[in-house]
Amino acid sequence: MTDNTTRLDHVVLWVRDPLAAAGFYEKTLGFEPLRTAEFTAGEASFPSVRVNEETILDLAPLDLVQAMNMLPGAAGSAGHPVNHVCLSLPADAFDALRARLEQGDVPVSRLSHDSYGARGAARRSFYFRDPDGNVFEARHYD
């Protein structure tokens, strides 16, 4: 990749409790929490979790919805209209994630095979929700 290639930088998720959400993503997905101390101290509007070196998930508290006035109707976007966020993992990490979700009593969908994505057909995929109802797909291509 070159520095001028378009990449996914971040996705903002609406959450009821940003610190609990950060804990879920750290424990279940292994994502590094960011700015939790600053959020707790009132110095940051929300914490984030790192997906990889280039991408983060921002965990926006629902009370920020009033500030979402940059576009007409944006304030009503809390909780939707994102359908789901897809995470691509190596096969072993995919299996480990599914096991952690099941051990944590997080419902998961049946496995799908050969669903299309950014890198072609994924060998396997499944869906789950975070504690705030955000829907995630996990898949692997290898």
Side-chain angles (χ1 to χ4, degrees), residues 24 28-29 94-108 126-130 136 138:
F24 172 83
T28 306
L29 296 163
F94 174 92
D95 292 329
L97 170 60
R98 188 171 176 94
R100 282 193 307 277
L101 290 166
E102 290 172 343
Q103 289 170 354
D105 293 324
V106 177
V108 297
F126 69 90
Y127 294 85
F128 65 95
R129 289 183 187 272
D130 74 3
F136 282 81

Side-chain angles (χ1 to χ4, degrees), residues 26-88:
E26 179 180 27
K27 178 181 175 186
T28 306
L29 296 163
F31 293 172
E32 174 191 1
L34 305 171
R35 304 184 333 145
T36 54
E38 293 89 338
F39 174 73
T40 301
E43 299 167 1
S45 299
F46 51 84
S48 304
V49 290
R50 181 160 300 287
V51 176
N52 59 39
E53 67 182 37
E54 296 183 341
T55 307
I56 61 174
L57 298 177
D58 292 333
L59 307 172
L62 291 171
D63 61 2
L64 282 183
V65 71
Q66 300 306 323
M68 296 300 296
N69 60 0
M70 77 287 279
L71 294 171
S77 72
H80 63 282
V82 173
N83 181 280
H84 71 278
V85 175
C86 182
L87 305 171
S88 175

